Amino acid sequence: MMLFAPKVFPKLSTLSHAGRSMYVWVFYTFPLAFTLLLVPGLFLQVMGISPGAADGNLFFMRMAGGLLVSMSFMSHQAAVLNLRQFFVWAVMGRTFITLVLIVCTVLGLCEPIIMFFGCIDFSGGMWTLVGIRRDEAEEQARALGPQVIAQPSP
């Protein structure tokens, strides 16, 4: 059993379409994750958000950062190893979190700027979905092999 993908920085051309979208998404999530984990106050300051009374020491922001580091690592590994089922789960998860952010924004439970991150996640999820469908179409075309077009007889 392989514990880690053989390459950390593979050539994009070697990845499937869905894998490429997941791999590129990781370049967004890793910096965000480490910012939330290590300097969550900076993130809030840049976004113009003040920490709530319940999270004065920013523990929950740091926890979210730690979870995002873990998800980013798994996404990277899945992209490099072309774990197609993970891509499907990622699309569902990213769509779900976008819905959660929409509901929280509508109910006034979070600042509207947070929807910016929801839009990024949703867009990335849709890119992955398109990649999944494109990979499946190409795989199906390869399985059919070259098509012979019948020529009418004279």
Side-chain angles (χ1 to χ4, degrees), residues 16-70:
S16 67
H17 297 288
R20 191 174 307 131
S21 74
M22 292 293 293
Y23 182 78
V24 170
W25 184 68
V26 166
F27 284 93
Y28 154 72
T29 59
F30 263 130
L32 177 61
F34 280 111
T35 300
L36 291 173
L37 181 64
L38 302 175
V39 285
L42 174 64
F43 172 80
L44 292 174
Q45 184 179 8
V46 168
M47 293 293 112
I49 301 171
S50 59
D55 198 19
N57 63 1
L58 304 175
F59 168 76
F60 292 107
M61 293 288 293
R62 292 179 194 279
M63 180 60 81
L67 291 170
L68 190 55
V69 168
S70 177

Side-chain angles (χ1 to χ4, degrees), residues 3-5 26 29-30 68-78:
L3 293 178
F4 298 104
V26 166
T29 59
F30 263 130
L68 190 55
V69 168
S70 177
M71 288 175 27
S72 299
F73 172 74
M74 288 184 282
S75 297
H76 174 271
Q77 296 295 293

Side-chain angles (χ1 to χ4, degrees), residues 51-139:
D55 198 19
N57 63 1
L58 304 175
F59 168 76
F60 292 107
M61 293 288 293
R62 292 179 194 279
M63 180 60 81
L67 291 170
L68 190 55
V69 168
S70 177
M71 288 175 27
S72 299
F73 172 74
M74 288 184 282
S75 297
H76 174 271
Q77 296 295 293
V80 175
L81 295 172
N82 198 34
L83 302 178
R84 294 173 66 177
Q85 188 60 51
F86 186 90
F87 303 153
V88 173
W89 297 331
V91 169
M92 291 187 293
R94 289 155 78 180
T95 302
F96 173 74
I97 196 65
T98 302
L99 293 173
V100 169
L101 292 176
I102 289 170
V103 169
C104 288
T105 302
V106 168
L107 295 176
L109 301 174
C110 66
E111 299 290 330
I113 189 71
I114 297 300
M115 276 308 304
F116 172 73
F117 295 97
C119 290
I120 292 172
D121 275 349
F122 185 74
S123 299
M126 292 304 101
W127 180 21
T128 302
L129 180 61
V130 168
I132 291 167
R133 291 183 174 164
R134 190 169 174 190
D135 290 335
E136 288 173 350
E138 288 178 2
E139 189 174 288

